[in-house]
Amino acid sequence: MSVKSTAVTVAVTATVLATADQDRDGMKVKVQVPAAGQTVYLGGADVSVANGFAVATGAESHELTLSRGEILYGIVNATTQAVRVIKTSSL
């Protein structure tokens, strides 16, 4: 199993949080938003604050499973927000 964690700054435009490798299927992803900050919205390339899955400050997303080549994006309502992303996949 491969485990990777990263810090990403989410902007007011769709920001890539995680990309499933082309040679791996079933990558699991969780996104954590620090207590100080703003809600982050998750989704595909068309994510917006109106249609995204909301992750509030001080919370983390449910575990999401990405298939080969899928990309998870995040967006915020104003300025930017730092988040933590953890990804796991089998080799």
Side-chain angles (χ1 to χ4, degrees):
M1 177 177 284
S2 172
V3 177
K4 294 181 182 178
S5 60
T6 59
V8 179
T9 300
V10 180
V12 296
T13 56
T15 305
V16 174
L17 298 178
T19 302
D21 296 336
Q22 290 292 337
D23 60 344
R24 295 188 181 140
D25 204 19
M27 184 173 78
K28 309 232 183 270
V29 179
K30 277 188 146 182
V31 178
Q32 181 185 58
V33 180
Q38 60 183 312
T39 299
V40 175
Y41 300 88
L42 307 179
D46 63 342
V47 69
S48 70
V49 296
N51 69 14
F53 181 86
V55 182
T57 58
E60 65 182 39
S61 69
H62 295 282
E63 186 175 80
L64 304 168
T65 303
L66 302 181
S67 297
R68 289 184 183 107
E70 286 186 323
I71 302 171
L72 177 66
Y73 293 85
I75 195 167
V76 292
N77 195 38
T79 65
T80 61
Q81 176 61 54
V83 298
R84 304 290 183 260
V85 180
I86 189 160
K87 306 179 282 186
T88 61
S89 65
S90 54
L91 295 174

